Amino acid sequence: MTDPGLEVLGHLLEASHDLAPDDLVAAARQAGKALGGEDVAIYLADYEQVMLVPLPDGTDRTPLVIDTTLAGRAFTAIAVQEADAESGRRLWLPLLDGAERLGVLGLTLPSVDDALRARCSWLATLLAELLMTKGQYTDSYFLARRRQPMSLAAEMQWQLLPPLTFVSPQVVIAGLLEPAYEVAGDAFDYALNGDTAHLAVIDPVGHDLTASVLAAVTVGSYRHSRRAGLGLADTYAVADQDIATQFGGERFVTGQLAQLDCATGRLQWLNAGHPLPLLVRGAKVVDTLACQPFPPLGLGIGEPEIATAALEPGDRVLFYTDGVTEGRSLDGEPFGEARLADLLVRETLAGQPAAETMRRLAHAILAHQGRTPRDDATMVFLEWPGPPP
């Protein structure tokens, strides 16, 4: 006997090849109806990850607050949530591209058992993948996520970034940058190649369109060197030269480059003018990872020192730019490293996944400043689960 859930997914997959991006919600409704569901809706997280915004479907739907709704709980906890509804049970399922949280799928069913709940989860997984692929051919999904105008510099930065979250048995990486609609310069990048996780966090000087161009050159140089198999010191040297050549020594970029051997936990990194990373071990910030500071990229001064640390299973390392700790409240008080470390420990003790930890830290930083930050604030979390079994 054919599984009805597999039939639903099969029909949606077959239809997806020539499915117009704006018809995805209608296709989701049809698939949900085949499972016995009604009131099917797709919500995407806005750029600040404060609201879940509905994709237009001809229904009068309002955005949902992530921190105060059951749909938001599905997003933050990355778990199916359900509650009684007028015509049965309302399910909220996270939409995940790998571990990247895109939003949630909502639908109402007359009744729910484990088998039907699993089929709905399969549907949410397929819809998330279709959101990613169809999103390459439309602006609709990007526009739905925007709740205020976005600067050109910010537009460029968001297109430069990799997915905000990556999870595997070897390593977990999560990043976030603010202010979402005005960011102009800060960026990060990463890749997992075999057993080596590569990571870069950069902060170009300035907060303008030129800073975004500078970020694009820096990230492009970093990726080019990484894909050529260069080590950290050579990657730094090439980026240093590329920036100096392109900008004539008038612009520079602070940053940190790191490599983690996922088989052993050996972390190597270099520091070009950034605050030192924080090491979280056993739900405590046990140290800053010391590294001889080195001049920023683009100034052409000497060779950087490569620092090394032996991570233990479960260790988390937080890399961040100076806009995180130097951001000031309305009365002039800086956010500070101590406050950052305290919040980091709290979220770790609460058992929050890396992506949710980043979201909550970013919101705390914005709340402290009480206004649009004057500088970009970027954080990247690196977690090592431990050696392979």
Side-chain angles (χ1 to χ4, degrees), residues 164-177:
L164 298 180
T165 310
F166 173 75
V167 176
S168 77
Q170 298 162 287
V171 68
V172 175
I173 300 172
L176 204 61
L177 51 81

Side-chain angles (χ1 to χ4, degrees), residues 156-157 160 185 204 208-219 246-247:
M156 294 170 62
Q157 292 307 95
L160 184 66
D208 53 15
L209 186 58
T210 303
S212 290
V213 175
L214 185 52
V217 171
T218 307
V219 171
Q246 186 66 32
F247 294 92

Side-chain angles (χ1 to χ4, degrees), residues 199-265:
L199 175 66
V201 184
I202 66 165
D203 180 5
V205 64
H207 191 79
D208 53 15
L209 186 58
T210 303
S212 290
V213 175
L214 185 52
V217 171
T218 307
V219 171
S221 176
Y222 170 69
R223 289 173 177 167
H224 186 255
S225 293
R226 186 184 71 211
R227 291 164 184 169
L230 300 186
L232 291 178
D234 288 338
T235 297
Y236 172 93
V238 170
D240 184 52
Q241 183 59 48
D242 288 340
I243 295 167
T245 299
Q246 186 66 32
F247 294 92
E250 296 181 358
R251 290 270 185 158
F252 61 84
V253 178
T254 64
Q256 289 174 331
L257 308 180
Q259 291 181 355
L260 173 65
D261 184 333
C262 298
T264 65

Side-chain angles (χ1 to χ4, degrees), residues 24-265:
L24 181 60
V25 176
R29 276 182 168 178
Q30 185 175 359
K33 184 177 180 180
L35 291 173
E38 59 182 27
D39 194 19
V40 178
I42 294 175
Y43 289 76
L44 300 181
D46 75 309
Y47 280 93
E48 292 179 311
Q49 296 190 9
V50 172
M51 308 290 291
L52 293 168
V53 185
L55 281 183
D57 61 3
T59 304
D60 186 18
R61 301 186 189 275
T62 58
L64 304 174
V65 180
I66 289 177
D67 286 328
T68 61
T69 62
L70 198 60
R73 177 63 179 167
F75 179 84
T76 59
I78 316 178
V80 179
Q81 305 293 316
E82 58 184 270
D84 289 332
E86 194 171 306
S87 55
R89 297 285 286 175
R90 183 69 172 169
L91 265 63
W92 294 102
L93 305 102
L95 293 169
L96 302 172
D97 174 45
E100 175 81 333
R101 304 179 300 180
L102 307 180
V104 297
L105 169 68
L107 76 164
T108 300
L109 297 154
S111 62
V112 184
D113 57 20
D114 289 343
L116 183 53
R117 193 177 291 108
R119 294 183 183 108
C120 291
S121 293
W122 298 345
L123 175 59
T125 298
L126 178 53
L127 289 173
E129 296 305 317
L130 291 177
L131 281 166
M132 293 300 296
T133 56
K134 296 299 179 182
Q136 299 178 68
Y137 307 104
T138 184
D139 294 326
S140 298
Y141 305 162
F142 298 97
L143 292 173
R145 296 178 59 202
R146 295 186 184 181
R147 300 183 61 245
Q148 63 187 41
M150 179 176 286
S151 69
L152 172 57
E155 184 88 59
M156 294 170 62
Q157 292 307 95
W158 280 106
Q159 295 304 308
L160 184 66
L161 293 177
L164 298 180
T165 310
F166 173 75
V167 176
S168 77
Q170 298 162 287
V171 68
V172 175
I173 300 172
L176 204 61
L177 51 81
E178 291 288 355
Y181 297 96
E182 296 292 339
V183 63
D186 275 19
F188 64 88
D189 195 40
Y190 64 82
L192 176 63
N193 297 326
D195 285 332
T196 303
H198 305 260
L199 175 66
V201 184
I202 66 165
D203 180 5
V205 64
H207 191 79
D208 53 15
L209 186 58
T210 303
S212 290
V213 175
L214 185 52
V217 171
T218 307
V219 171
S221 176
Y222 170 69
R223 289 173 177 167
H224 186 255
S225 293
R226 186 184 71 211
R227 291 164 184 169
L230 300 186
L232 291 178
D234 288 338
T235 297
Y236 172 93
V238 170
D240 184 52
Q241 183 59 48
D242 288 340
I243 295 167
T245 299
Q246 186 66 32
F247 294 92
E250 296 181 358
R251 290 270 185 158
F252 61 84
V253 178
T254 64
Q256 289 174 331
L257 308 180
Q259 291 181 355
L260 173 65
D261 184 333
C262 298
T264 65

